[in-house]
């Protein structure tokens, strides 16, 4: 699996993150082999059941629902999610490291479609406290209907200045996850979905000009200032991964209970900290079509807005 996951090294040749457009209509004419809805949300140590319903309740048509959560409170989130999805989905697997959690749900009676499910976690340090801001990653590896996949939910170091620290954490996570299962005969994952609070920030521009652009719905001009895209272009992280176009507003930091950006004395620069990336190992083998990549702006219980992506896969027929 290392061939597929450990692509975040210092190569002289690198692709960076490829930005892909959202196709509202399925490229495969409704004939996809697998549709995945992925969700990431930093909960800020609080849970409101109605928000979880809003987050996952409209995804009944997805074959797999992948939910990555950060700063999860000391509540039974799995039970709340199962209740919200009781009519459509069942829990197939979970990976938990304190406040960093990952859940994969599938349709009713889909258990027979799963093979070789494994879970792993890797800590990169962090601090405790009431909301337990655990840093690191949790992951689930599985084969579903014959497609080998890895799902990773991470929470990386905060603050704009810690770019190199985040880069290093990405590489450590990629290198260490599932390392105990590696052998010369193992096949790499065909699809990787990496989501979470990556904590990369907008830099090189002050907070008020950023807010003015957002208010005028011109935030697309801020992507050139996004640290994650910059670092990927330098070949530091996520080489060969894809991400939808950042058409939604930066997802952090909001005043809790509102849609207003940070009004504290820090007046933080709004940033796209919450991201969903994917990588197809062999595009001649599997085609991918992204149908949505958006934030959920009507959830107000956290200082982050959740992010959702809808990805459909089609296995090409081999000659």
């Amino acid at each position: 699996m290392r061939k597929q996951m450990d692509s975040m090294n210092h190569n002289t040749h690198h692709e960076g993150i490829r930005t892909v457009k959202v196709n509202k209509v399925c490229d495969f004419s409704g004939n996809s082999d697998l549709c995945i809805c992925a969700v990431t949300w930093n909960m800020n140590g609080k849970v409101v059941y109605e928000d979880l319903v809003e987050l996952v309740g409209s995804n009944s048509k997805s074959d797999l629902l992948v939910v990555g959560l950060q700063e999860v409170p000391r509540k039974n989130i799995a039970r709340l999610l199962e209740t919200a999805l009781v009519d459509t989905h069942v829990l197939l697997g979970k990976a938990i490291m304190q406040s960093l959690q990952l859940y994969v749900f599938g349709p009713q009676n889909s258990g027979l479609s799963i093979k070789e499910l494994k879970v792993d976690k890797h800590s990169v340090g962090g601090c405790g406290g009431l909301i337990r801001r655990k840093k690191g990653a949790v992951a689930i590896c599985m084969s579903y209907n014959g497609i080998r996949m890895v799902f990773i939910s991470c929470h990386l170091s905060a603050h704009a200045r810690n770019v190199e620290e985040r880069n290093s954490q990405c590489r450590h996570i990629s290198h260490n996850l599932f390392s105990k299962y590696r052998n010369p005969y193992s096949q790499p994952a065909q699809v990787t979905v990496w989501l979470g609070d990556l904590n990369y920030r907008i830099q090189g521009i002050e907070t008020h000009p950023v807010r003015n652009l957002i208010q005028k719905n011109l935030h697309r001009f801020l992507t050139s200032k996004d640290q994650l895209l910059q670092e990927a272009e330098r070949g530091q992280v996520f080489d060969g991964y894809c991400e939808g176009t950042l058409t939604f507003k930066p997802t952090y930091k909001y005043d809790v209970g509102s849609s207003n950006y940070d009004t504290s004395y820090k007046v933080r620069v709004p940033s796209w900290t919450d991201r969903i990336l994917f990588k197809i190992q062999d595009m001649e083998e599997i085609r991918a079509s992204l149908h949505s990549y958006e934030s959920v702006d009507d959830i107000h219980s956290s200082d982050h807005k959740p992010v959702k992506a809808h990805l459909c896969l089609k296995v090409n027929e081999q000659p």
Side-chain angles (χ1 to χ4, degrees):
M1 190 164 293
R2 181 175 179 178
K3 289 180 183 178
Q4 191 278 333
M5 293 184 60
D6 197 19
S7 61
M8 298 181 183
N9 49 21
H10 297 277
N11 294 327
T12 54
H13 171 74
H14 50 266
E15 303 173 49
I17 294 174
R18 186 165 67 93
T19 300
V20 297
K21 291 183 179 180
V22 168
N23 298 311
K24 297 295 185 182
V25 180
C26 182
D27 280 352
F28 313 129
S29 302
N31 194 30
S32 299
D33 290 311
L34 181 64
C35 284
I36 302 167
C37 179
V39 180
T40 182
W41 187 27
N42 183 319
M43 301 179 71
N44 194 34
K46 306 176 184 68
V47 59
V48 176
Y49 176 69
E50 289 74 17
D51 287 348
L52 291 179
V53 173
E54 172 76 18
L55 197 63
V56 302
S58 60
N59 304 296
S60 58
K61 294 182 180 180
S62 300
D63 297 310
L64 291 179
L65 173 60
V66 181
V67 183
L69 302 172
Q70 308 85 42
E71 295 190 19
V72 178
R74 290 182 174 90
K75 304 287 185 181
N76 192 335
I77 299 298
R79 183 178 298 172
L80 294 176
L81 288 170
E82 286 180 296
T83 301
L85 292 163
V86 66
D87 294 329
T88 58
H89 288 70
V90 294
L91 181 63
L92 302 179
K94 61 182 178 180
I96 296 175
M97 184 171 63
Q98 297 180 23
S99 60
L100 187 52
Q101 304 183 7
L102 175 65
Y103 302 92
V104 176
F105 290 86
Q108 306 282 357
N109 304 316
S110 59
L112 295 177
S113 301
I114 301 175
K115 293 181 180 178
E116 302 173 349
L117 189 147
K118 303 179 183 72
V119 301
D120 205 359
K121 59 186 178 182
H122 180 70
S123 173
V124 293
C127 59
L130 293 176
I131 57 176
R132 301 185 302 160
R133 296 185 180 92
K134 186 68 176 177
K135 299 298 193 297
V138 290
I140 295 175
C141 170
M142 62 190 294
S143 174
Y144 187 87
N145 284 342
I147 301 175
R148 300 183 304 277
M149 295 176 289
V150 173
F151 302 108
I152 302 168
S153 174
C154 75
H155 192 187
L156 305 181
S157 289
H159 307 303
R161 64 181 179 273
N162 290 329
V163 180
E164 292 300 332
E165 186 173 337
R166 285 188 283 276
N167 292 349
S168 176
Q169 289 171 350
C170 281
R171 290 190 288 267
H172 278 286
I173 290 167
S174 181
H175 179 80
N176 285 283
L177 283 177
F178 301 111
S179 58
K180 58 191 172 187
Y181 299 112
R182 290 177 192 147
N183 66 71
Y185 308 103
S186 58
Q187 293 180 301
Q190 296 165 290
V191 179
T192 300
V193 178
W194 190 313
L195 47 79
D197 180 359
L198 278 65
N199 251 324
Y200 287 91
R201 308 301 176 95
I202 289 173
Q203 69 173 9
I205 180 172
E206 296 296 325
T207 187
H208 293 298
V210 169
R211 293 171 187 228
N212 288 338
L213 285 172
I214 295 171
Q215 190 172 13
K216 295 174 182 176
N217 204 30
L218 296 174
H219 42 275
R220 64 185 181 276
F221 294 112
L222 295 170
T223 56
S224 63
K225 305 293 186 181
D226 177 70
Q227 289 177 339
L228 176 57
L229 296 179
Q230 290 175 344
E231 294 305 302
E233 190 173 351
R234 290 177 56 220
Q236 300 299 301
V237 290
F238 293 108
D239 192 45
Y241 276 74
C242 299
E243 183 185 26
T245 306
L246 292 169
T247 57
F248 52 88
K249 296 186 295 184
T251 53
Y252 175 84
K253 176 181 169 102
Y254 286 87
D255 290 339
V256 174
S258 77
S259 290
N260 301 319
Y261 284 112
D262 182 23
T263 58
S264 74
Y265 71 95
K266 294 183 178 180
V267 199
R268 293 174 180 83
V269 178
S271 297
W272 286 290
T273 54
D274 310 278
R275 312 288 275 269
I276 301 174
L277 311 172
F278 65 94
K279 185 173 185 178
I280 309 299
Q281 180 68 13
D282 186 349
M283 293 188 181
E284 293 184 0
E285 186 179 27
I286 293 180
R287 289 182 294 156
S289 179
L290 185 66
H291 298 307
S292 69
Y293 189 41
E294 59 193 7
S295 59
V296 185
D297 294 337
D298 50 358
I299 288 180
H300 303 105
S301 57
S302 171
D303 53 358
H304 290 252
K305 299 299 184 186
V307 173
K308 300 171 74 170
H310 182 194
L311 181 69
C312 285
L313 307 174
K314 178 72 174 177
V315 179
N316 294 330
E317 293 184 10
Q318 299 299 314

